[in-house]
Amino acid sequence: MTRGHSLGTSVAHLDEYASAETPIGRIDPRAKLLTTIAFLVAVASFGRYQVLSLVPLALYPIALIALGDVPSGSLLWRLLLVSPFALLIGAFNPLLDHTPLGTFGPVHVTGGWASFASIMLRFVLSVSAALLLVATTGFDAVCAALARLGVPRILVVQLLFMHRYLFVLVEEVSRTSRAFALRSPDRSRPSMRVAGTLLGQILLRTLERAQRVHSAMICRGFDGEVRLRRELRWRAADTAFVACWSAFFLLVRSHDLTRWLGTAISGAIG
Amino acid sequence: MHMSDALVSPLVAASAWAASSVVSVLSARALKRDPDDRRVPLMGVLGAFVFAAQMVNFTIPGTGSSGHLGGGLLLAILLGPPAAFLVMVSVLTVQALFFADGGLLALGCNIFNLGFFPSFVAFPLVFLPLAGQRPSRSRLALAAVLASVVGLQLGAFAVVLETRLSGLSSLPFGTFLLLMQPIHLAIGVVEGLVTAAAVIFVRDARPDLVPFGQATSPLAFRPIGRLGGNVLLTAALLAGVVSWFASGKPDGLEWSIDHAQHQGGVRPPESALHSFFSGLQSRTGILSDGTERASESWPAVSPRGSLAGLAGAGLTLGLAILIGFGIRAVRRGASSNPARSLE
Amino acid sequence: MSHHLVAFEDVTFAYPDGTAALRGVSFRIHHGESVGLVGANGAGKSTLLLHLPGILLPSSGHVRVGDWPVTAKTLPQVRRSLGMVFQDPDDQLFMPTVGDDVAFGPLNLGLPSDEVEARVAGALERVGATHLRQRPPYKLSGGEKRAAAIASVLSMSPDILVMDEPSANLDPASRRRLIALLRSFEHTKIVATHDLDLVQDVCTRTIVLRDGRVAADGPTAEVLGDDALLGGCHLERPLRMQGCPRCGPRK
């Protein structure tokens, strides 16, 4: 349950870094969203054995960290917290795929190892891009961008409300779980029956809260529609941001920059 | 089990995104036709509840492992399919953005696996017919367990299928399936029981909050009717398109075996659409499904070539980090005001 | 003066499960009055408050707010003239930022955007929370949350302010600030609370509820000095009106 608690507090911290005072913070959230999507597509478009030519794409997250004043330490920590599903499934590759690909001196590289490395690298790149989108933009602004890009209003309002009550509910669950842990020191997890009742209790309080929130809303004239004012202004800088990064992704995709640099340097040395 | 960005190919991701978007839009429209101002806070708070409830890990008897609530079925019981689906969309989106659970690219897959199956298949086709209007405790538990098992089995199967179609993992289809389905059978039973326990608890304490047996309940237990039909039809259509697409492409693993043994493998059936896309792919590389020749991707097989590749990679990464530090140093120097404090 | 008046006429209310919460409540509150509503847990305070904006409608009897009888048809008008601050600010602050929350009411009224802006700025300034405008509610302290919640109803320019336990969960300094703020409002005020010291500071009149009935209704000093009455209602004198523990009981 410690993971849960750290998750709860880390939600609160991630978009704290978002600020309009950094160069990245000033970019229109729509531009950042579109660029993130382009980046993810670029990463995913590399083949299963491609590892080294993926490396130049790391420039994007690194530049965002630098331009957006994002503390890189906490970002790395977050990457480690992530559920290990990809690692688990990827780890089978070296065992199953023995296609010979090349040698580094005495070491033979098989397709399995190459694709495993590729999966890991994709994982780090795409995960950091998603985290950086929120860290440099803020969840609220991401939602504003979604609304302007045509996502149904009901869904945008749902995202905002859910995000708002995340902290309240995570705190409530932590309190209840702590009360359980204090009274059952020899059990690390609740049994199924206890979990059902525990969740039932929290669910009950949640439904009551929904009722109270609804009361508070109708007292202020709520009629079913949430009116949100958000002004987004698309400037030339935003177009440039999207265009430059997309061009860079295309360049990395179409030319093997890594090999080119490597050949250049080994040519210069020897 | 969340599908991951690292395992999904752009084509599979895009298809799942398309399917999930269509279902989202249809669900949003269904809710709009049937407005209820209580739903906005209820959906929001329940989304947060599902998120938080997933922090509670409980023991799965007999296995020594632990599971947590998925939430899709519980939401469907409380809210009805379209609202439950949209709440799951919001939960999974926040997980992808804040915790990189799954990731953005695989979000479409995850919405489909964890949102669509419980709310639009397991709930209306299994839970509702079994539970009826005023279920007894045992009947409710039975319906919840079966519905949850069906939802999770479909979800797990979809994960295997999506991973397989993406062709990045080398796990053979059968092995992967044997790895996933039995685990999710156990999780499904437990999740069903926990869901039933939670619903029964609330029903006993505040019958007015749970829709069972209340003819006037506006929030749930609507017959799915036209919307359900539409959604199922669209999903089936999309699934058909995707599988047709996928079958037109050689699979990554088949290809690598084929490549290693230098034998002719099964060639994909050619179609106009397929040749159009492979043309597009060879030009842009965007629609790659991980089947290009290993020798093209990996630096040349000679040791010298490999070393050059490695050196290049190190240099590129170093350069990128250097640029990062450079930007930071320049900005520190340029800004006269001290760095923002993070309170 | 007839308007800005709140009137209960023999109101009874029972919850769907049969629990009778109000058993014949009658009182009248006039323009500019400041009324404390006190009583033990379960005496019916919250149920009574929920009748004001018509979230609950009486089983029998009548409720009047301003110029309107509270019925299903008049709810929009009633809710416009009444600002209700709920006990838990987390229930009241549901929007992404404090500014959005304060703008929520005015936007629902359909006001033009410069008027909305003026109302938001005015309400935030009134409670001293202008600097909190861009902050999300979950990052506020208890006192800040309370101030923001009050601003979110002030922006609707209500005639009557209703508060449920406004001093709950506040540290002493925040509580002191809240009292100063409440004293500065000229609105008709109804404050339901267990904090009798706050009642003494803010309210000129006090209504005591016991088991769904009005047990006492009179000037605050009189009601809060009646030990027999308070004891029967699970209450006790405000600390300030109790004797000094060292010098012995005050007579």
Side-chain angles (χ1 to χ4, degrees):
Chain A
M1 254 160 253
T2 42
R3 177 174 189 248
H5 194 68
S6 63
L7 283 189
T9 44
S10 59
V11 182
H13 294 306
L14 183 59
D15 67 352
E16 238 169 52
Y17 310 129
S19 156
E21 290 159 41
T22 64
I24 288 295
R26 278 188 288 270
I27 298 287
D28 190 293
R30 285 169 291 181
K32 278 179 277 187
L33 189 62
L34 293 173
T35 311
T36 305
I37 293 169
F39 176 77
L40 293 173
V41 172
V43 169
S45 72
F46 278 85
R48 65 190 244 122
Y49 294 127
Q50 289 177 305
V51 183
L52 301 182
S53 48
L54 260 170
V55 172
L57 286 178
L59 181 64
Y60 176 66
I62 290 173
L64 282 198
I65 289 173
L67 286 167
D69 287 345
V70 182
S72 38
S74 82
L75 196 79
L76 279 175
W77 176 238
R78 212 170 268 273
L79 282 176
L80 293 176
L81 267 179
V82 146
S83 65
F85 182 56
L87 301 170
L88 199 82
I89 300 305
F92 281 99
N93 282 9
L95 303 175
L96 295 166
D97 182 355
H98 300 291
T99 322
L101 283 182
T103 47
F104 292 103
V107 185
H108 294 277
V109 175
T110 64
W113 283 107
S115 57
F116 177 62
S118 175
I119 286 178
M120 291 304 99
L121 194 55
R122 279 155 201 276
F123 169 77
V124 170
L125 287 175
S126 53
V127 160
S128 54
L131 294 176
L132 281 167
L133 173 66
V134 179
T136 59
T137 312
F139 189 69
D140 187 19
V142 172
C143 287
L146 288 174
R148 292 290 285 273
L149 292 172
V151 170
R153 238 192 123 63
I154 294 178
L155 188 51
V156 175
V157 169
Q158 165 63 18
L159 281 168
L160 288 171
F161 263 77
M162 168 188 168
H163 182 247
R164 163 68 184 93
Y165 283 101
L166 214 56
F167 310 99
V168 180
L169 264 291
V170 164
E171 180 50 39
E172 218 163 295
V173 168
S174 306
R175 270 203 312 267
T176 313
S177 318
R178 215 175 299 137
F180 163 81
L182 285 174
R183 283 181 291 164
S184 43
D186 47 344
R187 270 172 166 270
S188 63
R189 296 190 195 105
S191 70
M192 226 163 55
R193 179 171 291 275
V194 174
T197 316
L198 204 119
L199 289 178
Q201 249 161 32
I202 302 166
L203 178 62
L204 179 65
R205 290 205 293 267
T206 306
L207 292 171
E208 286 171 343
R209 181 180 294 279
Q211 235 176 15
R212 293 196 305 269
V213 174
H214 178 247
S215 299
M217 292 175 81
I218 55 174
C219 280
R220 279 145 67 196
F222 179 61
D223 54 5
E225 178 157 356
V226 177
R227 297 164 180 85
L228 254 182
R229 294 184 308 162
R230 286 289 180 278
E231 276 166 28
L232 296 181
R233 255 211 246 113
W234 187 279
R235 297 162 305 153
D238 301 318
T239 313
F241 183 82
V242 179
C244 291
W245 281 114
S246 305
F248 174 69
F249 302 151
L250 272 177
L251 180 74
V252 174
R253 189 67 193 83
S254 57
H255 294 82
D256 193 341
L257 294 187
T258 309
R259 188 188 299 187
W260 181 75
L261 259 175
T263 319
I265 196 94
S266 53
I269 291 168
Chain B
M1 193 68 91
H2 285 75
M3 185 67 191
S4 169
D5 265 10
L7 296 177
V8 74
S9 75
L11 191 66
V12 171
S15 314
W17 261 104
S20 302
S21 309
V22 169
V23 180
S24 301
V25 169
L26 287 176
S27 299
R29 272 196 204 146
L31 294 187
K32 213 168 183 178
R33 271 198 304 275
D34 173 28
D36 184 325
D37 57 34
R38 286 183 294 174
R39 203 159 40 209
V40 173
L42 189 58
M43 281 171 65
V45 179
L46 280 176
F49 167 77
V50 166
F51 194 102
Q54 294 190 348
M55 291 162 34
V56 179
N57 281 310
F58 40 80
T59 316
I60 296 182
T63 62
S65 69
S66 70
H68 65 70
L69 198 70
L73 180 66
L74 181 66
L75 288 171
I77 294 174
L78 295 170
L79 293 164
F85 179 79
L86 289 179
V87 173
M88 282 311 284
V89 171
S90 71
V91 171
L92 293 164
T93 305
V94 167
Q95 284 175 343
L97 281 175
F98 283 82
F99 304 116
D101 257 348
L104 281 180
L105 209 60
L107 180 58
C109 297
N110 285 322
I111 289 174
F112 213 80
N113 306 348
L114 301 170
F116 180 82
F117 290 124
S119 16
F120 280 105
V121 179
F123 173 73
L125 302 182
V126 181
F127 181 86
L128 215 43
L130 277 176
Q133 274 297 316
R134 270 178 188 275
S136 64
R137 286 166 173 240
S138 48
R139 203 188 167 102
L140 188 122
L142 179 76
V145 166
L146 284 177
S148 148
V149 165
V150 167
L152 271 169
Q153 287 296 309
L154 287 169
F157 182 70
V159 168
V160 176
L161 202 68
E162 286 151 2
T163 308
R164 182 66 177 161
L165 289 176
S166 297
L168 285 164
S169 159
S170 304
L171 267 181
F173 190 69
T175 315
F176 198 4
L177 214 56
L178 278 176
L179 212 65
M180 294 282 285
Q181 305 300 111
I183 297 177
H184 283 87
L185 189 69
I187 299 178
V189 171
V190 173
E191 178 175 351
L193 287 173
V194 171
T195 301
V199 170
I200 289 170
F201 183 91
V202 177
R203 187 176 67 165
D204 288 351
R206 290 284 305 271
D208 54 313
L209 289 177
V210 179
F212 284 108
Q214 297 211 329
T216 50
S217 156
L219 295 176
F221 280 78
R222 298 254 155 157
I224 49 164
R226 251 197 21 231
L227 172 82
N230 276 347
V231 167
L232 283 175
L233 195 76
T234 320
L237 212 73
L238 276 164
V241 172
V242 173
S243 50
W244 175 65
F245 243 110
S247 68
K249 303 208 152 252
D251 173 79
L253 185 65
E254 275 163 32
W255 182 86
S256 63
I257 293 167
D258 168 36
H259 177 74
Q261 298 173 346
H262 298 288
Q263 284 169 0
V266 190
R267 282 297 118 207
E270 284 295 325
S271 71
L273 199 59
H274 178 235
S275 53
F276 167 73
F277 273 110
S278 38
L280 194 71
Q281 179 185 336
S282 63
R283 262 176 282 129
T284 61
I286 291 297
L287 287 169
S288 152
D289 60 350
T291 58
E292 54 270 271
R293 304 174 62 80
S295 54
E296 283 169 10
S297 330
W298 193 261
V301 185
S302 76
R304 193 184 163 83
S306 300
L307 271 181
L310 263 192
L315 197 66
T316 317
L317 196 62
L319 211 63
I321 292 174
L322 215 67
I323 293 175
F325 275 114
I327 294 172
R328 228 171 225 192
V330 168
R331 294 196 47 233
R332 289 246 168 83
S335 65
S336 50
N337 49 339
R340 247 166 0 105
S341 61
L342 297 169
E343 311 126 295
Chain C
M1 203 161 169
S2 77
H3 55 271
H4 305 169
L5 143 160
V6 173
F8 272 56
E9 282 166 32
D10 201 22
V11 170
T12 65
F13 179 81
Y15 281 100
D17 63 357
T19 319
L22 299 180
R23 311 164 192 251
V25 172
S26 300
F27 59 81
R28 249 161 209 280
I29 293 169
H30 298 281
H31 174 68
E33 264 193 299
S34 175
V35 180
L37 191 62
V38 301
N41 292 325
K45 299 190 301 281
S46 300
T47 310
L48 192 153
L49 288 192
L50 290 176
H51 277 77
L52 291 168
I55 292 168
L56 297 177
L57 293 173
S59 309
S60 71
H62 302 280
V63 179
R64 254 189 107 79
V65 170
D67 297 329
W68 307 91
V70 179
T71 63
K73 276 185 202 155
T74 58
L75 290 182
Q77 289 86 347
V78 168
R79 287 172 184 168
R80 200 170 297 193
S81 58
L82 191 105
M84 177 103 179
V85 181
F86 287 80
Q87 182 173 347
D88 184 351
D90 275 331
D91 296 340
Q92 180 122 24
L93 303 171
F94 41 77
M95 298 292 275
T97 67
V98 171
D100 290 327
D101 248 307
V102 181
F104 182 84
L107 284 171
N108 285 335
L109 295 178
L111 298 174
S113 83
D114 48 346
E115 172 68 16
V116 172
E117 178 52 38
R119 294 248 188 139
V120 172
L124 284 173
E125 199 188 328
R126 192 76 187 75
V127 301
T130 307
H131 61 293
L132 302 178
R133 184 164 181 169
Q134 301 301 332
R135 296 263 291 275
Y138 52 84
K139 284 185 196 155
L140 305 183
S141 70
E144 290 170 336
K145 276 187 188 173
R146 186 66 62 184
I150 294 174
S152 76
V153 306
L154 286 184
S155 63
M156 296 187 73
S157 308
D159 303 315
I160 303 158
L161 265 182
V162 183
M163 304 200 189
D164 194 358
E165 290 290 358
S167 59
N169 295 324
L170 293 188
D171 59 44
S174 310
R175 179 175 165 278
R176 191 50 58 196
R177 267 198 299 279
L178 173 83
I179 289 173
L181 184 67
L182 293 185
R183 286 169 71 106
S184 72
F185 290 143
E186 279 148 24
H187 304 75
T188 305
K189 288 185 287 269
I190 302 173
V191 182
T193 184
H194 287 305
D195 182 350
L196 299 192
D197 287 274
L198 176 126
V199 171
Q200 201 186 8
D201 280 335
V202 175
C203 304
T204 51
R205 175 179 163 193
T206 299
I207 297 176
V208 183
L209 283 184
R210 181 172 54 195
D211 298 331
R213 292 193 182 85
V214 175
D217 181 355
T220 297
E222 228 168 79
V223 172
L224 296 187
D226 186 341
D227 286 325
L229 170 76
L230 294 177
C233 299
H234 289 223
L235 301 169
E236 56 182 28
R237 277 174 183 247
L239 290 174
R240 222 174 327 150
M241 288 170 75
Q242 291 177 13
C244 167
R246 283 211 187 139
C247 325
R250 190 158 92 181
K251 285 291 155 191

